Amino acid sequence: MSGTRTLDTYRLLGRSGLRVSPLSLGTMTFGADWGWGADRDEARKIFDTYVDRGGNFIDTASQYTDGTSEQLLGEFTADNRESLVLATKYTMLRRPGDPNSGGNHRKSMFASVEASLRRLNTDYIDLLYLHAWDFLTPVEEILRGMDDLVRSGKVLYVGISDAPAWQISRMQTIADLRGWSPLIALQIEYSLLERTVERDLVPMARELGLGVIPWSPLGSGVLTGKYGRADLEQRIEASAAGTRKNVAAANGSLTERGLAIADVVQEVAAQLGKTPSQVAIAWTLRNPGVTSPIIGARTAAQLEDNLGALDVEFDANQLDRLENATAVDLGFPHEFLSRPMTRSVTFGDLKIEQRP
């Protein structure tokens, strides 16, 4: 990334013509139902700040803060719905004890979409994600259900989140062959703490035309420097409810490795005169497969800070420090195929320039 960007420097989402901002506003923080989110007034300030700066890409889900997130967005978007790209997700259990109120199947999909439409106070969803892979529903059922929703006009585009790369690539191929609505977006955890997606998910998305939308680019807050070694000594319940520290524990981010990486981020931030949050978010934007990281602020001040990531530029030394501190083993076959011996046997002395 070179030069200053702004929220109204739009990018195409995957292999679609849909224009979205380079940072997406995450609204899992909208509503205090889980004990750590923003109340209505603060959520409104966050929303207005983002939109006033030119932001147009809003992310929510059917069960974020038990539905309050969608309800607040339905209120906030009443005057400018058409100018926004509103994304929501289905999968999560909506009624405990009812096995069909969650999952990836058609019944769950259609019921969740209808509920989201009511809460969002809209007659269409710009982007519908499958929220999490359930390992049960046939891919043809998912794809045909999504295509039916698109043909009905209730959904404009479809995407997928938190699923195996081989299943996603299979789905995209089936959609292409059958003329069904293709997947245009892939939402995955991606940050300096979580780089294993670089093995298959990110390159798969680039090859098959899915824009990558990273969630938790701040590693559940660990990369901001807000946690220390003393937090590791506390017994923390892993849960979406309670505090943000509970979420960090649930996501496996609050570890000795995570804190060591956060130290490096803080050192680079000090060199740049930026905040650790800005450095962490800006690093994800450097990946050419990434379209729009999701920023989930709890206050308008946090959002303002996060937006400063669009101004960050790294030098080679700073990038090396971040890369070396966070590198992961790509495993087989990637490591094997990149070895000099393997390349020599395969290509000899040929010099072949790879695609960017």
Side-chain angles (χ1 to χ4, degrees), residues 64-313:
Y64 281 173
T65 52
D66 299 331
T68 298
S69 173
E70 288 188 332
Q71 290 174 352
L72 290 175
L73 283 176
E75 177 185 343
F76 299 164
T77 61
D79 297 330
N80 59 352
R81 170 67 185 93
E82 190 174 351
S83 65
L84 299 173
V85 177
L86 197 53
T88 192
K89 312 176 195 74
Y90 89 97
T91 295
M92 299 306 172
L93 197 69
R94 290 174 295 109
R95 291 184 304 278
D98 180 353
N100 286 316
S101 69
N104 299 155
H105 54 90
R106 177 183 283 260
K107 182 175 176 66
S108 169
M109 182 192 303
F110 278 59
S112 183
V113 165
E114 292 293 344
S116 290
L117 289 171
R118 289 193 296 271
R119 284 192 292 262
L120 291 167
N121 192 30
T122 185
D123 54 7
Y124 71 97
I125 293 164
D126 292 290
L127 174 62
L128 175 70
Y129 290 99
L130 179 153
H131 200 159
W133 197 248
D134 70 4
F135 296 94
L136 297 171
T137 309
V139 295
E140 293 84 358
E141 179 178 344
I142 297 167
L143 289 167
R144 182 54 193 272
M146 287 181 160
D147 188 64
D148 286 346
L149 286 169
V150 171
R151 291 175 188 270
S152 73
K154 293 181 178 181
V155 170
L156 303 187
Y157 298 94
V158 292
I160 193 164
S161 172
D162 305 337
W166 68 273
Q167 288 284 21
I168 300 170
S169 58
R170 178 182 171 215
M171 292 172 73
Q172 193 74 319
T173 301
I174 292 172
D176 285 346
L177 290 174
R178 297 193 177 179
W180 291 342
S181 300
L183 304 168
I184 68 163
L186 170 65
Q187 193 170 132
I188 50 176
E189 182 178 6
Y190 185 43
S191 71
L192 285 162
L193 292 188
E194 176 48 80
R195 295 184 59 186
T196 60
V197 293
E198 293 175 1
R199 293 170 179 159
D200 293 297
L201 283 161
V202 173
M204 174 214 67
R206 292 193 71 192
E207 186 73 20
L208 297 181
L210 287 81
V212 173
I213 312 298
W215 58 263
S216 198
L218 296 179
S220 299
V222 172
L223 294 175
T224 67
K226 67 191 294 184
Y227 300 117
R229 269 66 183 179
D231 292 298
L232 296 179
E233 300 172 3
Q234 302 174 9
R235 182 177 179 180
I236 306 169
E237 180 183 359
S239 171
T243 68
R244 290 294 280 175
K245 190 183 295 186
N246 295 106
V247 178
N251 285 341
S253 303
L254 188 51
T255 63
E256 180 58 46
R257 174 180 178 272
L259 294 176
I261 291 173
D263 289 341
V264 177
V265 171
Q266 290 178 72
E267 292 166 6
V268 170
Q271 291 178 1
L272 288 166
K274 301 292 184 179
T275 67
S277 298
Q278 292 166 351
V279 166
I281 295 168
W283 178 86
T284 67
L285 279 165
R286 288 188 51 80
N287 190 309
V290 167
T291 300
S292 182
I294 297 172
I295 49 178
R298 287 188 297 113
T299 67
Q302 286 180 351
L303 175 64
E304 288 281 7
D305 175 74
N306 289 177
L307 295 180
L310 296 170
D311 299 329
V312 174
E313 292 189 58

